[in-house]
Amino acid sequence: MLNSILNPNLPLGEGVFDPEEEVPERKEDELQEDDKLKKLDADAVRAAEAGDLDTALRLFDEVVALAPARPASFNNRAQCLRLLGRPEAALRDLDTAVSLSCGGRGKAGAAALCQRGVLHRKVQE
């Protein structure tokens, strides 16, 4: 259903996202994961889900500062920025995530490409 909304010009069933398809993680991303980073990331996500977007953004800023070469750091912060109504800042973070992921490779890179596409589409409306 979501694919039909995001890709209205594709025939039904074409270009369908398969949630069971394995998207390999990049080894560079795995090297930047540590317990402190994972905890901060999880705390930021929980704050965002609870509606405390200011706290979430502060925590995502810390994550980016700790791992500035990690695409997921920028992708996650971009989602928060989008929810805060700051699409230009979100697009900058998504561009960084795509660049850091070598053009959208890995889970974070693929997610950043999708999120960037949706934001570009909203800006054009």
Side-chain angles (χ1 to χ4, degrees), residues 12 15 24 30 32 51 90 120-121 124:
L12 288 178
E30 292 173 7
Q32 296 181 41
H120 276 298
R121 210 168 186 174
Q124 292 175 353

Side-chain angles (χ1 to χ4, degrees), residues 8-122:
N9 296 326
L10 283 180
L12 288 178
E14 292 291 321
V16 176
F17 169 71
D18 181 1
E20 295 185 15
E21 178 183 353
E22 286 294 316
V23 177
E25 277 295 330
R26 294 173 354 112
K27 288 181 183 174
E28 296 86 350
D29 297 341
E30 292 173 7
L31 294 175
Q32 296 181 41
E33 299 290 329
D34 67 15
D35 290 339
K36 181 178 180 181
L37 186 63
K38 288 178 185 178
K39 183 183 179 330
L40 272 174
D41 221 17
D43 289 348
V45 169
R46 276 193 293 280
E49 288 172 346
D52 188 356
L53 297 177
D54 292 328
T55 297
L57 182 59
R58 181 182 54 75
L59 292 171
F60 283 130
D61 286 342
E62 287 183 48
V63 171
V64 166
L66 283 172
R70 178 179 173 253
S73 301
F74 288 92
N75 184 58
N76 293 344
R77 185 171 69 178
Q79 291 179 17
C80 186
L81 289 165
R82 183 184 55 80
L83 291 171
L84 282 165
R86 297 171 53 189
E88 296 84 13
L91 282 171
R92 283 192 299 275
D93 271 5
L94 292 170
D95 288 342
T96 301
V98 169
S99 176
L100 290 172
S101 66
C102 300
R105 293 195 170 111
K107 290 181 182 179
L113 283 171
C114 291
Q115 191 177 185
R116 188 172 70 172
V118 169
L119 268 175
H120 276 298
R121 210 168 186 174
K122 287 185 181 226

Side-chain angles (χ1 to χ4, degrees), residues 1-8 10 12-17 121:
M1 178 65 117
L2 183 59
N3 191 58
S4 297
I5 294 168
L6 296 176
N7 302 297
L10 283 180
L12 288 178
E14 292 291 321
V16 176
F17 169 71
R121 210 168 186 174

